[in-house]
Amino acid sequence: MSENADSTLEGRAPKKLPQGVKVIDVDVHAHETPGALIPYCEMPWRKCLESIAKVPERYLDIPFFAPQMAVWTPPFPQSGSERRNVVTSVAQMRKDLDELRVDVGVIFPDNLLLLAALRDSDYAVALARAYNRWLTGEWLGEDNGMKGAIVAPSQSPVAAAEEIRRYATHKNVAAIYLPSCCVDPMYGHRCYDPVYEAAQEADLPVMLHSVTAIFPVFPFNLNGFTTMFSAHIASHGFSMVANLLSMMETGVPARYPKLRIGFSESGIGWVPWIMMRMDKEYKERRREMPFLSDLPSTYVRQMFFATQPIEEPENMQQMATILSLFGGERSLMFASDWPHHDFDHPNKVLQIPVSPEIQRNILGENASRFLKLKENA
Amino acid sequence: MAVEHVVSRVEDLPVGTHKVFRVGGREIGIFNVEGRYYALPNNCLHQNGPLCKGSVSGTLESTAQGGWKPSWVREGEIVICPWHTMEFDIITGRCLAEPRRRLPTYTVTVIDSEIRVSIP
């Protein structure tokens, strides 16, 4: 059962959408508890899940499973874990997405957003496999607009590649989720080549997705901050920036030219900034990256970006300008992040003053190309 | 109509060297690459630095055909701006970092051991 049975979404769907648009939401979250994964987890790791299944849950914060380690802010009402909102069944997700006026949702995990923080490789791989079995077994069985991103455990790129090959032809597996919170080394490291090779071969896009944590690896050594305000911004945004730089410096987009790469949950304001910084630097240091055959921005323009949490300047015209700076007309994809505390309703994205054609692209067409959804999906 | 200017005698510009000359109000770099002569404006398209006063070398290349291993190629064919190390292909004027941009090139001829450059 969902814990948000009293929906606050009802009756607030956008009244006007461009004609014939199929809305694709590239980031929604299913709630996988340790208990839910028990039947899907192999031994001996199942014993670990059994031992933590009864630990009281806090929001994205379960010892030995989702070690957030960022619970150091004053816990006033509505400031943290109390705003926990989860979706635990496909029926509830379908209902919620209907009320958001979303046709297709791409499911990511809740707790496994912190998967890369786990140090034991075998344990992390077992959890990833259990999650992928659970996701495909319980959420992706029907053709009801539910698509899923299977998780690639960063702790073992070889096992991750095996998972990608295992689910390559699953009709509702649409993407590969690269856990980007606490990941070490970052995603440009050559150790991940098997992951990109498998993804390219499977014709599945990879999607980087972070979450808030404090952890002693760059860029999560955030102990200098005192608020979630800072840690939340940094955990998501810095992770995307750092991993994009890492991937660019080893030429991932050049070496895997058919690989589709997407960045999630960091808004879009950072994209023009890092793109222009990279171009500037590249002119002076091209020899460090001889595998690139053009400016880094050329590769950025072939990548994809999810909208949420979309920046909200008073004048939304500024967002139209920002997205135009990196070719977002062809690469920006609507994401709600439902049911998380900072979800974006499609109403907000519709406030960006762009043409109906670009609206249609952002709401669905770009994601459709990124995910390569079949017509009947 | 291009105007031909005599800039140097061949013995003053041996193989592997380059020099900047003032020609018809412009500064032009003349390069001797393996006995062939090439000319570029002494004006980097990045920030107008004195490109042709920079050093000449090869460059790094890394391609799928070569298994993405970096290799040192085109020795003597690349000039590097002394300001920000932007690299240019001496033969085509192409900017290596920005392949859609290139410098103009000028025709160089040798008549009676005199190096001449044609300025449009």
Side-chain angles (χ1 to χ4, degrees), chain A residues 280-291:
Chain A
K280 169 86 178 176
E281 202 73 20
Y282 176 74
K283 291 173 190 173
E284 190 171 338
R285 305 189 198 281
R286 193 205 64 85
R287 286 180 179 184
E288 293 183 347
M289 306 144 86
F291 24 72

Side-chain angles (χ1 to χ4, degrees), chain A residues 178 186-200 206 208 242-263 278 288-293 296 299-300 302-303, chain B residues 62 64 68:
Chain A
L178 301 184
M186 290 184 287
Y187 278 116
H189 195 282
R190 296 285 183 125
C191 72
Y192 299 113
D193 282 0
V195 175
Y196 303 132
E197 207 172 295
Q200 188 172 258
V206 294
L208 286 84
N243 280 290
L244 171 56
L245 287 175
S246 174
M247 293 167 91
M248 196 65 79
E249 73 175 357
T250 63
V252 171
R255 292 188 292 118
Y256 300 94
K258 289 183 180 152
L259 180 66
R260 305 189 298 289
I261 303 169
F263 295 84
M278 286 195 292
E288 293 183 347
M289 306 144 86
F291 24 72
L292 301 190
S293 58
Y299 297 93
V300 172
Q302 287 158 15
M303 295 171 176
Chain B
S62 172
W68 296 109

Side-chain angles (χ1 to χ4, degrees), chain B:
Chain B
M1 191 63 191
V3 180
E4 216 170 58
H5 299 262
V6 176
V7 290
S8 173
R9 292 195 57 82
V10 288
E11 55 267 33
D12 296 328
L13 199 68
V15 169
T17 65
H18 62 289
K19 264 186 202 164
V20 174
F21 300 94
R22 184 164 278 282
V23 184
R26 307 179 205 202
E27 289 183 10
I28 306 283
I30 312 280
F31 300 80
N32 182 340
V33 181
E34 303 285 338
R36 298 177 71 96
Y37 299 93
Y38 302 92
L40 296 174
N42 185 32
N43 188 4
C44 184
L45 53 73
H46 181 220
Q47 293 188 6
N48 306 108
L51 172 67
C52 300
K53 298 211 163 159
S55 60
V56 168
S57 80
T59 192
L60 271 175
E61 185 182 85
S62 172
T63 63
Q65 292 75 24
W68 296 109
K69 288 194 172 36
S71 52
W72 188 256
V73 297
R74 310 202 53 201
E75 184 63 53
E77 297 181 9
I78 306 298
V79 61
I80 298 161
C81 183
W83 276 8
H84 304 99
T85 63
M86 280 268 270
E87 297 165 284
F88 289 86
D89 184 329
I90 293 167
I91 292 153
T92 64
R94 186 175 66 93
C95 175
L96 268 56
E98 292 188 83
R100 280 171 303 282
R101 300 182 73 190
R102 64 172 69 215
L103 292 163
T105 56
Y106 307 102
T107 307
V108 185
T109 50
V110 176
I111 296 169
D112 298 335
S113 295
E114 283 180 343
I115 300 170
R116 302 166 181 223
V117 60
S118 294
I119 305 295

Side-chain angles (χ1 to χ4, degrees), chain A residues 129-344:
Chain A
R129 284 187 185 144
Y131 172 80
N132 290 339
R133 287 188 198 110
W134 173 81
L135 176 71
T136 50
E138 298 203 7
W139 293 76
L140 305 181
E142 292 173 49
D143 292 328
N144 58 357
M146 293 298 148
K147 301 288 171 183
I150 57 156
V151 59
S154 57
Q155 292 88 341
S156 171
V158 171
E162 274 172 25
E163 285 298 279
I164 293 166
R165 294 199 166 94
R166 190 189 321 278
Y167 294 103
T169 58
H170 190 290
K171 62 177 177 174
N172 287 325
V173 167
I176 297 152
Y177 151 51
L178 301 184
S180 307
C181 176
C182 308
V183 67
D184 181 40
M186 290 184 287
Y187 278 116
H189 195 282
R190 296 285 183 125
C191 72
Y192 299 113
D193 282 0
V195 175
Y196 303 132
E197 207 172 295
Q200 188 172 258
E201 188 186 298
D203 205 13
L204 284 171
V206 294
M207 194 79 165
L208 286 84
H209 192 310
S210 190
V211 73
T212 309
I214 291 188
F215 200 71
V217 303
F218 178 80
F220 292 90
N221 37 356
L222 298 169
N223 42 299
F225 294 132
T226 59
T227 58
M228 280 298 275
F229 164 85
S230 304
H232 184 242
I233 293 170
S235 286
H236 284 282
F238 290 6
S239 178
M240 293 304 116
V241 169
N243 280 290
L244 171 56
L245 287 175
S246 174
M247 293 167 91
M248 196 65 79
E249 73 175 357
T250 63
V252 171
R255 292 188 292 118
Y256 300 94
K258 289 183 180 152
L259 180 66
R260 305 189 298 289
I261 303 169
F263 295 84
S264 218
E265 195 146 358
S266 296
I268 61 169
W270 62 280
V271 184
W273 166 71
I274 195 64
M275 185 181 98
M276 291 186 198
R277 286 254 58 82
M278 286 195 292
D279 279 1
K280 169 86 178 176
E281 202 73 20
Y282 176 74
K283 291 173 190 173
E284 190 171 338
R285 305 189 198 281
R286 193 205 64 85
R287 286 180 179 184
E288 293 183 347
M289 306 144 86
F291 24 72
L292 301 190
S293 58
D294 208 331
L295 291 167
S297 58
T298 310
Y299 297 93
V300 172
R301 285 171 192 284
Q302 287 158 15
M303 295 171 176
F304 290 79
F305 301 90
T307 52
Q308 187 272 341
I310 193 73
E311 289 82 357
E312 300 176 340
E314 201 171 320
N315 176 3
M316 286 298 276
Q317 178 65 48
Q318 292 167 3
M319 296 314 296
T321 303
I322 285 176
L323 75 89
S324 75
L325 295 176
F326 61 93
E329 298 91 342
R330 295 269 298 161
S331 69
L332 190 55
M333 309 184 286
F334 169 68
S336 71
D337 194 31
W338 182 255
H340 288 170
H341 61 92
D342 54 345
F343 79 97
D344 280 335

Side-chain angles (χ1 to χ4, degrees), chain A residues 59-193:
Chain A
Y59 185 63
L60 298 182
D61 182 27
I62 302 175
F64 315 109
F65 189 67
Q68 180 184 121
M69 294 168 289
V71 284
W72 78 127
T73 52
F76 288 112
Q78 295 297 313
S79 61
S81 203
E82 285 184 32
R83 289 171 68 200
R84 182 167 167 273
N85 197 19
V86 299
V87 179
T88 54
S89 75
V90 70
Q92 183 63 39
M93 183 66 88
R94 188 59 269 170
K95 183 169 173 286
D96 290 351
L97 294 188
D98 285 344
E99 283 171 0
L100 284 163
R101 182 51 187 88
V102 165
D103 297 295
V104 175
V106 181
I107 298 169
F108 283 74
D110 268 348
N111 291 304
L112 263 53
L113 290 174
L114 286 140
L115 183 68
L118 300 176
R119 298 288 95 180
D120 187 300
S121 168
D122 292 343
Y123 178 46
V125 168
L127 291 186
R129 284 187 185 144
Y131 172 80
N132 290 339
R133 287 188 198 110
W134 173 81
L135 176 71
T136 50
E138 298 203 7
W139 293 76
L140 305 181
E142 292 173 49
D143 292 328
N144 58 357
M146 293 298 148
K147 301 288 171 183
I150 57 156
V151 59
S154 57
Q155 292 88 341
S156 171
V158 171
E162 274 172 25
E163 285 298 279
I164 293 166
R165 294 199 166 94
R166 190 189 321 278
Y167 294 103
T169 58
H170 190 290
K171 62 177 177 174
N172 287 325
V173 167
I176 297 152
Y177 151 51
L178 301 184
S180 307
C181 176
C182 308
V183 67
D184 181 40
M186 290 184 287
Y187 278 116
H189 195 282
R190 296 285 183 125
C191 72
Y192 299 113
D193 282 0

